[in-house]
Amino acid sequence: MTKSKKSLLLTFGLILVIIVCLAFLRQYLQQKEDQAESKGGVAYAEMVRDNDPLLVEFRQRHPERTVLLACSEDITNDGKRDLVVISQLDDANTTIALIDDGNGGFIETEPVPAPKENQHIRFMNIDKLGAIETLITGEKNGQVGYAVYRIMDDRMVDLYRDGMEECC
């Protein structure tokens, strides 16, 4: 084999190795980005601190419940911070919103079903009008589900859901 053929084969081999490495690097970075999102990265709301006054209020009202996730946002768009809590009572997980009534008290919504595992809350203003929508996601035994809620007449109104029956 001549020197030029060896050089050409080495160049081709090097280019092939670089392409394969770039493909693996792209896959690795995508997995890291997906993991960051699923662990409460940019996409999901953060859990409030244990001493958050709204969470303290919720726990005083419901000492029998185990809080799994509690996130705060002005979901009624009235300038006051509200709290959305996913909690467990016996074997049932539910979501309850604690809404600041503006008079030093709180209005509590009726519980709605919540996922069993890997729960996340995301707040969005989907229609850019009024109240903020709350997206609840999670799973049960690998079955993923989500629901979008809006506070209307002091209730968590289900606007859309997919797969929640399988994950709650």
Side-chain angles (χ1 to χ4, degrees), residues 37-38 40-47 69-75 84-86 95 115 118-126 128 131-138 145-150 156 159:
E37 251 189 45
S38 70
V42 179
Y44 298 109
E46 292 184 24
M47 173 80 172
L69 182 62
C71 302
S72 177
E73 179 66 53
D74 178 12
I75 57 177
V84 176
V85 180
I86 298 175
T95 302
N118 300 322
Q119 304 90 351
H120 297 287
I121 297 173
R122 182 175 181 187
F123 301 108
M124 307 170 292
N125 193 347
I126 296 172
K128 307 292 185 220
I132 305 294
E133 289 77 29
T134 302
L135 171 69
I136 306 290
T137 64
Y146 65 93
V148 178
Y149 297 98
R150 180 184 293 148
M156 289 191 79
L159 301 177

Side-chain angles (χ1 to χ4, degrees), residues 1-165:
M1 187 179 282
T2 66
K3 191 174 184 176
S4 64
K5 284 184 180 179
K6 283 183 181 179
S7 178
L8 185 62
L9 283 174
L10 283 174
T11 302
F12 178 75
L14 183 60
I15 290 171
L16 186 60
V17 167
I18 290 171
I19 290 171
V20 169
C21 287
L22 288 173
F24 280 116
L25 179 62
R26 182 174 185 260
Q27 183 179 4
Y28 172 78
L29 292 174
Q30 183 64 48
Q31 285 174 342
K32 285 293 185 188
E33 184 178 308
D34 292 346
Q35 287 173 353
E37 251 189 45
S38 70
K39 290 182 179 176
V42 179
Y44 298 109
E46 292 184 24
M47 173 80 172
V48 296
R49 295 178 187 260
D50 274 343
N51 64 349
D52 183 284
L54 293 174
L55 183 55
V56 169
E57 174 72 23
F58 182 86
R59 285 189 169 133
Q60 286 175 350
R61 290 173 176 231
H62 298 285
E64 75 285 3
R65 290 183 172 273
T66 301
V67 173
L68 303 173
L69 182 62
C71 302
S72 177
E73 179 66 53
D74 178 12
I75 57 177
T76 56
N77 197 28
D78 62 0
K80 295 168 187 65
R81 204 167 59 91
D82 308 302
L83 187 70
V84 176
V85 180
I86 298 175
S87 63
Q88 182 179 36
L89 178 62
D90 299 324
D91 197 30
N93 291 0
T94 58
T95 302
I96 298 172
L98 199 59
I99 303 163
D100 188 318
D101 70 3
N103 298 316
F106 298 94
I107 298 166
E108 187 175 300
T109 64
E110 289 295 318
V112 295
K116 290 286 187 190
E117 305 161 349
N118 300 322
Q119 304 90 351
H120 297 287
I121 297 173
R122 182 175 181 187
F123 301 108
M124 307 170 292
N125 193 347
I126 296 172
D127 58 7
K128 307 292 185 220
L129 301 171
I132 305 294
E133 289 77 29
T134 302
L135 171 69
I136 306 290
T137 64
E139 59 185 270
K140 175 183 170 186
N141 299 327
Q143 296 293 317
V144 177
Y146 65 93
V148 178
Y149 297 98
R150 180 184 293 148
I151 300 298
M152 297 170 69
D153 298 324
D154 300 330
R155 295 180 309 119
M156 289 191 79
V157 176
D158 185 348
L159 301 177
Y160 183 81
R161 68 176 38 230
D162 186 31
M164 284 295 272
E165 295 77 20

